Amino acid sequence: MKLTLFDLDHTLLSGDSDALWCDFLIDEGMLERSTFAARNADMEMRYKAGTVGLEEFANFYLGTLAGRSPEDWEPLRQRFLATVVVPRVPRSALDLVNRHLNAGDLVVLTTATNRFLTELTAVHLGIAHLLATDPQLESGVFTGRATGILNMREGKVTRLQAWLTASGQQLRDMDSTAYSDSINDLPLLQAVNHAVAVDPDALLREQAVARGWRVLHLAR
């Protein structure tokens, strides 16, 4: 079986879901621009450099959900998808996903961004399987923290292997391909048979050239 793994942010999506969500909440008047925008930019910069701490990254963005239930957030989540996410998914990204789906591949969207923000994006992309960082709920309310293994760096490989094992499959038995833009996904790209760097950051581009990986540019 062919397994195809897609990162989301800056790979299929022109932008970062977490950073865009924060900008969206600022525009909606739910976050204070003067105090939050700089922290958001710093977090995004350190993520791109591969230097941000895993829990620091996850909990910073999950903190934007804290104190409200999924039902409370649903109208804003739907508007975020329609007005921010969908316009930033290029036709070339949809065509790439559809080529793998039409070929009968097992296609998985795997992202460090939390499940609540990305599950609607997966539906828009036509991808039925999503691996994402899971937000913690207590009494039906987001705590602002993650639960379980974070779907980031080595955690993407751990989560993928656990997901495959649960369905009686093993990564080593599959013809696997992964697409990503980020040096943070180096463990995942090393774990598959075919690694594709999509509009890669500078650090990943160096690795792709050194390892002979394909470099793909999606029209934006």
Side-chain angles (χ1 to χ4, degrees):
M1 178 180 289
K2 290 188 175 182
L3 171 68
T4 300
L5 306 161
F6 286 104
D7 175 51
L8 175 59
D9 300 324
H10 296 290
T11 301
L12 298 178
L13 177 71
S14 297
D16 180 271
S17 300
D18 281 319
L20 291 170
W21 172 249
C22 292
D23 290 340
F24 172 76
L25 293 183
I26 289 171
D27 290 340
E28 292 286 327
M30 300 189 69
L31 290 175
E32 180 59 47
R33 186 180 303 274
S34 62
T35 58
F36 199 88
R39 295 170 60 205
N40 185 21
D42 173 69
M43 191 66 63
E44 186 177 16
M45 179 186 68
R46 289 191 288 132
Y47 175 80
K48 288 180 180 178
T51 59
V52 72
L54 301 187
E55 290 189 1
E56 178 191 11
F57 176 84
N59 292 339
F60 175 78
Y61 288 111
L62 285 169
T64 64
L65 301 174
R68 296 171 183 256
S69 69
E71 293 75 20
D72 293 335
W73 281 115
E74 188 60 24
L76 280 170
R77 183 175 76 146
Q78 292 284 349
R79 189 152 70 248
F80 175 67
L81 174 76
T83 64
V84 178
V85 173
V86 170
R88 286 174 171 80
V89 177
R91 181 73 253 176
S92 55
L94 290 171
D95 290 344
L96 176 62
V97 171
N98 285 331
R99 283 200 296 273
H100 284 283
L101 290 170
N102 292 336
D105 295 9
L106 176 61
V107 177
V108 180
L109 184 66
T110 178
T111 175
T113 304
N114 73 78
R115 179 174 299 276
F116 183 72
L117 281 189
T118 55
E119 58 191 358
L120 294 183
T121 306
V123 172
H124 173 70
L125 292 167
I127 299 176
H129 307 292
L130 172 65
L131 295 174
T133 294
D134 293 311
Q136 184 185 66
L137 289 166
E138 289 184 358
S139 301
V141 173
F142 289 112
T143 66
R145 298 185 299 276
T147 184
I149 296 171
L150 302 179
N151 199 55
M152 184 175 172
R153 296 181 189 151
E154 292 81 1
K156 279 196 175 184
V157 179
T158 302
R159 291 281 303 275
L160 173 64
Q161 291 173 330
W163 182 76
L164 289 171
T165 298
S167 60
Q169 302 175 91
Q170 296 293 327
L171 181 60
R172 63 176 178 268
D173 298 328
M174 310 182 86
D175 182 10
S176 55
T177 301
Y179 293 85
S180 179
D181 73 292
S182 175
I183 192 63
N184 289 285
D185 282 338
L186 185 60
L188 180 67
L189 294 168
Q190 290 175 309
V192 299
N193 301 119
H194 313 287
V196 184
V198 180
D199 297 304
D201 60 35
L203 294 174
L204 182 58
R205 179 178 294 278
E206 290 178 5
Q207 290 290 329
V209 170
R211 297 168 185 268
W213 291 342
R214 183 158 67 101
V215 176
L216 176 66
H217 298 283
L218 295 179
R220 303 297 181 183

